[in-house]
Structures are given as C-alpha cells and as structure tokens.
C-alpha cells in the first residue's frame, strides 16, 4: 500500500481500539468521543477497502489490522529516539514494545529484567504469553518485536542470542507420593497417578516419563495454565508435575515436595530472538534480558 494511505490519527484510533478492547475505552484513552473513534476507524477501512477490526467483545484485529498496528508500534519506537519535541506530539500515547515470553520465565527471572528496563526506558511493555516452543511464531508473524523462545531457528530480520537453560524437576507432595507410589515407582504406577499439564502444547511431563521410564505417558491429567498454580496444586497433593527447579528448590529442601525417582531433570534451552531495528529501546531491553538471564539461568 502506498504510504499516502496511512492516516496516522486514524491508525492511532485502530490501535487504541485493539489495545483497549472496545471503542468506548479507546475513546477515553485518546480523549475523543466514541463516535469520533468510530469515524476514524471506518474511514481508514474504507481507504484500504478492508475490515481492520472484528467488532466483538473484546474487539480484535484482522490480519491487516494487526500488521498496521505492528507498523505503528515500530514508528512510535523510532520516534522515541528522536528529539523530545517530536516525541511530545504523541503525548498521552507512549510507545509500546511488544514481546512474547513463556509463562515459567515470566514467573521467575523476566520480571527483574523488565524492571531494569523500565528504570531506563520511557517505553511500555506489552507481554504476550505462549509456550516457549511457540513464542518465535509470534515474532515471525510480526505480532511482537522480540521473544524468549526455545526455538533456535533463525527468524528473518532478527538475531538470536542464547540465554541459558531452565531445569525442571518432577515433583509431588509427600502425601501424593505415598498414595500413588507407596509400593514403588514404575510405568504402571505412573499410568495411574494424575499429572499436571500447562496446556495442550506442554510436553515436559511426557518428556520426563519417556526419558525416565521409557513410556508414552497416558495418565489422568489436570490442565493448569499458571506457573504458580502448577506449583500450588502440586504442593496441595492434587497431582505431580514438572516444576522449575528455581521455584521448587525451597519446597524440596523443606520436605513440602518430593522429587520423583530417578531424579532426572528436563532441560529447556532458552534464546532471545529480537528484531534488527535501530531502536534504542530494543537494545536496552536486550541488555536487561541478557544480564538477568546470565545470573539466573544455567
């Protein structure tokens, strides 16, 4: 599309509707009336001859709408590096840096990196959660500008930096171990004992069972899409599951959790894949991510 088709005030309206989830909240964020926001969005859709926003609860972008918002995010980040007088034109609409991260990293080391970045940069973070094996897909689609990922494959227009390894231990409460493995740990007992699973793409429990006992895990499964919920439910005795060693260590030492034999650890190597853009905020975030990861990850 020709650049003349990009009406930036209208594009700000599209972006606000998608970010806030409704035309009414977008109007409040922009200091406009809902009617004015609707007119700007509709005008841009007419110029492109395509729908940019799916009117739902909440509103969500079409593929073209998502691409345009990603373009706007890049423009706003570039403006942050220019003279403050230019950046002041967008006062009330701070630049946003979108990244994808896996839940276990967000529950452990990423907050320290985000805080270090926040102390230096005047840019907001928009974090998208996904499985570490799939966060890179968010980058390939243009939805985010950087990702913590277990996928080492190159992404066009990006550089990939190794961060380190997260280790996971198969853990359960002492009461759970007594109930399900009191007569010993074997493939049969493992098939009867309930386990935890983060979501359909979480293969850590299956990896451990295959490596430790050579079985294709087919046990009763509770789905728990929360790192801390995963830990809490194991502590409560609901099921066994693979816990980040950094979170489980104190509970193992205190006897609140027991590591299942043969104490085999599953390792997940993480990478930081980041767009090659001349944006200071990306460089600052990369420095923070690398510094904290080097201290936390193996």
């Amino acid at each position: 599309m020709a650049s003349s088709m990009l009406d930036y005030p209208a594009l700000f309206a599209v972006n606000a509707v998608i970010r806030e989830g409704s035309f009414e909240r977008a109007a409040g964020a922009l200091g406009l009336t809902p009617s004015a926001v609707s007119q700007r969005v509709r005008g841009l859709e007419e110029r492109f001859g395509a729908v940019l926003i799916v009117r739902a609860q909440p509103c969500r972008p079409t593929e073209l709408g998502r691409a345009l918002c990603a373009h706007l995010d890049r423009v706003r980040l570039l403006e942050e590096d220019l003279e403050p007088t230019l950046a002041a034109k967008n006062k009330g609409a701070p630049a946003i840096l979108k990244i994808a991260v896996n839940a276990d990293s967000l529950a452990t080391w990423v907050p320290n990196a985000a805080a270090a970045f926040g102390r230096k940069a005047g840019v907001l973070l928009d974090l998208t959660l996904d499985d570490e094996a799939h966060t890179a897909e968010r980058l390939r689609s243009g939805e985010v500008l950087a990702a913590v990922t277990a996928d080492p494959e190159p992404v066009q227009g990006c550089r990939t930096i190794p961060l380190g390894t997260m280790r996971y231990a198969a853990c359960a409460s002492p009461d759970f171990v007594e109930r399900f493995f009191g007569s010993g740990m074997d493939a049969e007992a493992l098939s009867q004992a309930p386990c935890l699973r983060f979501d359909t793409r979480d293969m850590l429990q299956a990896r451990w069972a295959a490596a430790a006992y050579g079985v294709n895990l087919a046990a009763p499964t509770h789905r728990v899409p929360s790192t801390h919920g995963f830990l809490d439910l194991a502590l409560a005795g609901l099921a066994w599951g693979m816990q980040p060693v950094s979170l489980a260590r104190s509970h193992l030492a205190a006897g609140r959790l027991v590591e299942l034999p043969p104490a085999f650890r599953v390792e997940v190597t993480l990478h930081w894949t980041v767009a090659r853009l001349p944006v200071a905020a990306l460089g600052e975030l990369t420095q923070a991510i690398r510094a904290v990861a080097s201290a936390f990850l193996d």
Side-chain angles (χ1 to χ4, degrees):
M1 292 293 180
S3 60
S4 61
M5 297 188 73
L6 289 180
D7 176 348
Y8 279 91
L11 192 48
F12 268 99
V14 171
N15 191 63
V17 172
I18 293 169
R19 185 179 67 249
E20 300 295 334
S22 74
F23 283 78
E24 291 74 17
R25 288 194 292 271
L30 295 174
L32 300 171
T33 66
S35 176
V37 172
S38 180
Q39 289 175 8
R40 291 187 182 189
V41 172
R42 188 166 58 250
L44 194 60
E45 289 179 328
E46 290 173 355
R47 294 182 70 177
F48 275 92
V51 174
L52 303 178
I53 296 174
V54 177
R55 277 71 166 174
Q57 295 295 330
C59 292
R60 61 182 187 274
T62 62
E63 184 175 351
L64 178 57
R66 182 178 294 110
L68 288 172
C69 288
H71 166 77
L72 180 61
D73 289 338
R74 287 166 170 79
V75 169
R76 291 161 72 181
L77 285 168
L78 289 167
E79 286 183 349
E80 284 290 321
D81 294 344
L82 299 179
E83 293 297 326
T85 51
L86 179 58
K89 291 182 179 179
N90 288 332
K91 188 175 181 181
I96 296 174
L97 180 51
K98 295 181 179 179
I99 67 173
V101 62
N102 61 309
D104 290 343
S105 291
L106 185 59
T108 51
W109 63 274
V110 165
N112 288 337
F117 169 75
R119 285 191 288 268
K120 294 178 61 177
V123 174
L124 300 179
L125 291 176
D126 185 344
L127 276 62
T128 296
L129 280 180
D130 208 337
D131 183 87
E132 61 269 9
H134 298 272
T135 47
E137 292 302 320
R138 304 273 188 165
L139 193 57
R140 292 186 178 94
S141 70
E143 185 178 345
V144 300
L145 291 178
V148 176
T149 177
D151 184 354
E153 290 299 313
V155 177
Q156 186 175 8
C158 300
R159 62 180 177 132
T160 298
I161 302 166
L163 293 177
T165 299
M166 286 195 75
R167 288 190 168 88
Y168 292 81
C171 299
S173 70
D175 170 70
F176 183 90
V177 171
E178 177 62 28
R179 282 186 288 130
F180 288 95
F181 306 127
S183 299
M185 187 85 177
D186 55 25
E188 176 63 24
L190 199 60
S191 70
Q192 301 298 318
C195 69
L196 300 170
R197 193 176 184 188
F198 192 89
D199 57 24
T200 56
R201 294 181 292 191
D202 175 15
M203 301 303 295
L204 289 179
Q205 286 69 222
R207 282 178 59 185
W208 182 86
Y213 290 94
V215 300
N216 181 16
L217 186 63
T221 302
H222 300 281
R223 290 188 184 175
V224 187
S226 162
T227 298
H228 290 294
F230 222 77
L231 180 61
D232 290 343
L233 289 173
L235 286 166
L238 177 68
W240 72 272
M242 302 302 296
Q243 306 290 345
V245 172
S246 58
L247 290 181
R249 186 178 290 114
S250 63
H251 298 291
L252 290 168
R256 292 184 293 269
L257 287 177
V258 176
E259 187 169 0
L260 302 184
F264 171 77
R265 303 282 174 88
V266 173
E267 297 184 350
V268 175
T269 300
L270 298 176
H271 309 268
W272 176 246
T273 302
V274 57
R276 295 182 183 273
L277 287 176
V279 173
L282 275 176
E284 292 168 352
L285 181 58
T286 296
Q287 289 178 4
I289 287 286
R290 296 182 71 177
V292 174
S294 67
F296 183 87
L297 300 175
D298 296 323

